[in-house]
Amino acid sequence: MTATPIRQDPKQLYRRLDSLFGLFDRSRAKRRMLETFLDELFKVFAEDLRLVSGALYGERAASFVQLKRVGGDPGAFRKELVPAAPCLELLIRHRTYIYPRADDPAAPGQAGILPPGAAAAILVGEPPRRNAFFLQLGEGWEHEPTDFALNTIRAALDARLLDQHVRGTVREAAQIQRSLLVEQPPPLAGYDIASRSVAAEEVGGDFYDFIPLDGDVLGLAVGDASGHGLPAALLVRDVVTGLRMGVERDLKMIPVFTKLNRVVHRSHLTSRFISVFYGELETNGNLLYVNAGHLPPLLFTRERVSELAVGGTVIGPLPEASFKRGFAHVDRGALLLLCTDGLVERTNRKGEQFGMERLKAVACEGAGAPAREVLERLFRAAEEFGEGRPWEDDATAVVVMREPKKPG
C-alpha cells in the first residue's frame, strides 16, 4: 500500500510521530535511544521522505563521529566519515538543513560531507553532546514538504530529549533526597521521636537528620533550602554531609556552622541559601543548639512554650557569618517540635495561613500522646486547613517527646 504523501495530509505526520515516540524507552541511554530512533525513522518515513540511507553522528570534542548507519549501499557512508566544517557550520546555524538549496553556493557532494546527490541533516541536543542525523534522499523528494517534515521531527525529538533529561535530573534529585532522609529515628533512652517530610513537588528542599554521637547524646537537625529540584537537593546534600562530618569529628558547633557557611557561599550558589537548626540532645534533657536562620523550634513544658531562636543568619549569602550557641532543657513530659515554614504557612482558599498559633494549639492538644500521634495530628490539621489542596511548600516536622517521670 502506497503511503499518502505528507504534503497532502500533514496530520499523518503528527500521528506517525506519536506512534514513533511511543516506542521510546526512557530508561535507555541517550545513544541507544537515538540509534533506535534512526531505525524507526526509516521504517515509518522512508517512503514519504524518499530516504535512501542515513547515519547518526555524536559530538565528540571538536568534531562528530559516526555512531550508526542504516539503509542504502553499505559503502555510502564510510565508517571513518567525519562531516566537513562547512556542512557542520550550516547545520549548527539552521539545525535543519537540506541541500542542494537555491541560496546555497556549496555544491552537493562536496568531499567529506556526503556522497553525490540530495541530502538532509538535522541537529538535536545541546553542546557539548549534540547529535546529528545525516539522510540521503532519493528520487522524487520535494523541498517544501521534506523541510516541513524534518523540522517537525527535529523539534519533537528535541522536546523528547529535553523531557528525558529533565526526568533524569528529577530522578537523580529524588534519589539524593531519599538517601538523606532517615526512615526511622535512632533510639535515645527516655525519648520518643517521630519525623516526616512532605515535598510540594517531586523533589523538595527540606530535610531532617539524626546523628548519634554516643549512647547519651543525639544530634537533631532540620533545614530548608531555597528552591526545589536538583540544585536544592545538592545544597541539602552538601550541608547534611558537612554537618555529619563536622560533629562526628568532635568539632564544636560554632566552627562547624562557620565552615559550612563558607563552603556554601563559595559554591557559586550565592543566590541560594539554607536555614538550619541543629541541636545535641542529652538523655538528661540538656539541649545545646545553633539556629541558623530557621523557624524557631518550639519547646512545650507545663509552664510555657519557648522558642529556640539563638544562633545567627541563614547559611550561604554572606562570605562571613557569626553564630551563637543556645541552651535549653527538655523537662520530663515536655515536647520539642522542630518544623519548617511549609507547615506554618499552609494556606486555605481565603489565603489565610495555618499559622503558629494553630500549630501550637494542635501540639498542646497532643501533650502526653506518643510522638507519632502528635505528628499525625499536626499534618492532618494542616491538610484539613488547606482543604485538601496540594502543598504550596515543602513541609517537615520532627516531634521529640521526653517520657514523664514514673510515679513512685
Side-chain angles (χ1 to χ4, degrees):
M1 179 178 177
T2 302
T4 303
I6 289 174
R7 65 179 181 277
Q8 294 182 15
D9 188 3
K11 290 184 179 179
Q12 271 203 30
L13 174 61
Y14 297 103
R15 285 198 295 267
R16 292 180 185 177
L17 272 177
D18 285 341
S19 174
L20 192 156
F21 285 119
L23 300 172
F24 266 37
D25 181 355
R26 291 188 174 91
S27 65
R28 288 180 174 176
K30 178 184 176 183
R31 173 174 174 174
R32 179 58 182 150
M33 188 175 71
L34 292 177
E35 289 176 350
T36 301
F37 178 82
L38 181 60
D39 287 330
E40 297 300 326
L41 180 68
F42 265 73
K43 291 179 184 178
V44 177
F45 291 105
E47 186 171 356
D48 282 311
L49 298 180
R50 306 297 188 261
L51 302 179
V52 175
S53 57
L56 169 66
Y57 286 81
E59 186 173 15
R60 301 292 185 272
S63 185
F64 281 73
V65 298
Q66 188 178 133
L67 305 177
K68 183 179 178 66
R69 181 185 66 242
V70 297
D73 179 1
F77 289 91
R78 300 188 308 277
K79 186 176 182 180
E80 70 277 13
L81 176 66
V82 177
C87 176
L88 288 178
E89 290 172 4
L90 291 170
L91 180 58
I92 291 171
R93 186 187 312 158
H94 299 286
R95 295 187 73 87
T96 302
Y97 196 74
I98 302 176
Y99 46 94
R101 281 174 43 160
D103 59 349
D104 181 11
Q110 183 176 359
I113 300 179
L114 286 171
I122 59 176
L123 185 71
V124 296
E126 299 298 330
R129 288 293 182 180
R130 292 171 292 192
N131 290 89
F133 293 89
F134 286 84
L135 310 169
Q136 186 176 9
L137 306 179
E139 295 181 1
W141 74 279
E142 297 182 31
H143 190 281
E144 185 175 343
T146 302
D147 184 59
F148 170 76
L150 292 179
N151 270 293
T152 303
I153 290 170
R154 177 194 56 76
L157 185 55
D158 258 334
R160 295 302 173 107
L161 291 175
L162 177 61
D163 177 68
Q164 184 195 41
H165 173 71
V166 170
R167 286 172 181 268
T169 300
V170 171
R171 284 196 300 269
E172 183 179 356
Q175 289 172 355
I176 291 173
Q177 188 178 50
R178 285 194 297 270
S179 71
L180 294 174
L181 296 179
V182 180
E183 293 185 7
Q184 187 68 32
L188 181 65
Y191 293 86
D192 181 22
I193 305 174
S195 56
R196 178 184 295 179
S197 185
V198 176
E201 300 176 10
E202 189 168 350
V203 180
D206 279 9
F207 78 91
Y208 60 80
D209 195 24
F210 304 98
I211 309 174
L213 300 178
D214 60 41
D216 296 325
V217 184
L218 178 65
L220 307 168
V222 64
D224 183 0
S226 62
H228 302 281
L230 185 58
L234 292 175
L235 181 56
V236 168
R237 180 199 63 184
D238 291 345
V239 169
V240 170
T241 302
L243 194 58
R244 289 174 180 174
M245 291 178 62
V247 299
E248 287 174 0
R249 291 180 179 177
D250 296 326
L251 297 180
K252 300 298 182 181
M253 291 184 193
I254 302 306
V256 169
F257 272 77
T258 301
K259 290 181 180 180
L260 273 178
N261 181 74
R262 290 172 182 165
V263 169
V264 173
H265 181 79
R266 292 172 182 172
S267 69
H268 305 294
L269 291 174
T270 51
S271 62
R272 297 188 177 276
F273 61 88
I274 183 168
S275 66
V276 180
F277 174 90
Y278 173 73
E280 294 180 354
L281 179 61
E282 301 177 9
T283 54
N284 61 11
N286 290 335
L287 176 66
L288 297 176
Y289 71 88
V290 172
N291 188 335
H294 194 73
L295 183 72
L298 302 174
L299 178 58
F300 297 82
T301 63
R302 291 181 179 180
E303 294 79 19
R304 62 182 181 277
V305 179
S306 305
E307 296 187 356
L308 308 187
V310 178
T313 186
V314 294
I315 293 175
L318 303 176
E320 296 294 334
S322 60
F323 301 94
K324 295 180 180 179
R325 189 177 63 172
F327 173 81
H329 186 80
V330 182
D331 298 335
R332 289 186 177 275
L335 181 154
L336 176 63
L337 173 61
L338 297 75
C339 65
T340 60
D341 54 16
L343 200 61
V344 177
E345 296 175 1
R346 170 83 162 158
T347 60
N348 59 17
R349 296 186 186 278
K350 297 179 182 179
E352 300 168 333
Q353 292 189 348
F354 184 65
M356 187 64 74
E357 293 308 313
R358 287 189 180 88
L359 184 78
K360 290 179 181 179
V362 175
C364 285
E365 290 172 3
R372 175 60 57 185
E373 184 177 326
V374 176
L375 190 70
E376 294 290 345
R377 288 184 182 185
L378 288 170
F379 276 91
R380 185 167 58 250
E383 282 277 6
E384 292 173 355
F385 182 82
E387 301 168 84
R389 295 180 301 120
W391 290 85
E392 301 94 337
D393 194 8
D394 310 324
T396 298
V398 176
V399 175
V400 180
M401 299 283 297
R402 188 177 182 193
E403 298 174 357
K405 187 176 182 179
K406 295 180 181 179

